[in-house]
Amino acid sequence: MKDNLESLNNDGGHTVKIDLDYRDMCDEKIAVAESLGASGKLQEALDTLLVVEKTTRNASDVVSTGRILVAIVKLCFHAKDWALLNEYIFMLAKKKSQLILAFGEMVRECYTFIDQMPDKETKYKLIECLRIVTEGKVELDRDQLTLKLIQIKESEGDVTGAENILQELQFEAYGCFKTQEEI
């Protein structure tokens, strides 16, 4: 059995990586999901994209997986279902063999949602959800989320809360941010 598998993965002593491109399928399924979401069938739209997400993730198609993840969170955002948005962020983060680059694309898309949240509580829940799922995976994105949370706390006059959050930030990451003079 092992010999059969090796013959599939070797080409004269060189390992052959099987690359699959699901770009066309993604274009089609994202369009279908967007139309379903626009007609009020959010769960059906999400289910359609989850099937494609699994296919692209298992094929290690980073670009297509990233597009699907972004489409899923956008559907939840446009439906203004904040609890479902957070639920899907958690669920997608916990998928087995989740592609970190694709996952990072989703996180960066969700970052753009923060300032558009309807109230302070919803904004805090989204930030905390993103901070939890990015821990140990995409640390720079997590640090930027932490910085955003600090800025929100400072703008509300909660300097002590901002200081407490700042202490969590890894010292190495601090050097990655632009200083006031660079801005």
Side-chain angles (χ1 to χ4, degrees), residues 77-95:
F77 177 76
H78 291 304
K80 298 185 186 323
D81 193 334
W82 315 126
L84 192 65
L85 173 63
N86 289 339
E87 180 183 327
Y88 269 84
I89 291 169
F90 275 118
M91 180 188 67
L92 294 169
K94 293 180 180 185
K95 291 278 187 175

Side-chain angles (χ1 to χ4, degrees), residues 116-130:
Q116 301 174 50
M117 291 289 106
D119 55 52
K120 183 169 67 171
E121 181 183 338
T122 308
K123 185 182 290 193
Y124 281 130
K125 284 182 180 178
L126 177 60
I127 292 171
E128 195 55 37
C129 171
L130 291 169

Side-chain angles (χ1 to χ4, degrees), residues 49-65:
L49 291 177
L50 286 175
V51 171
V52 179
E53 183 274 335
K54 182 177 182 179
T55 302
T56 59
R57 176 173 37 91
N58 288 336
S60 298
D61 184 349
V62 175
V63 174
S64 296
T65 304

Side-chain angles (χ1 to χ4, degrees), residues 64-76:
S64 296
T65 304
R67 289 182 59 214
I68 295 295
L69 295 178
V70 167
I72 289 170
V73 295
K74 278 185 174 180
L75 282 170
C76 294

Side-chain angles (χ1 to χ4, degrees), residues 22 30 43-44 46 57 85 91 108 110 117 128 183:
Y22 289 100
I30 289 172
Q43 193 57 54
E44 192 176 331
L46 294 172
R57 176 173 37 91
L85 173 63
M91 180 188 67
R108 285 184 287 283
C110 291
M117 291 289 106
E128 195 55 37
I183 297 176

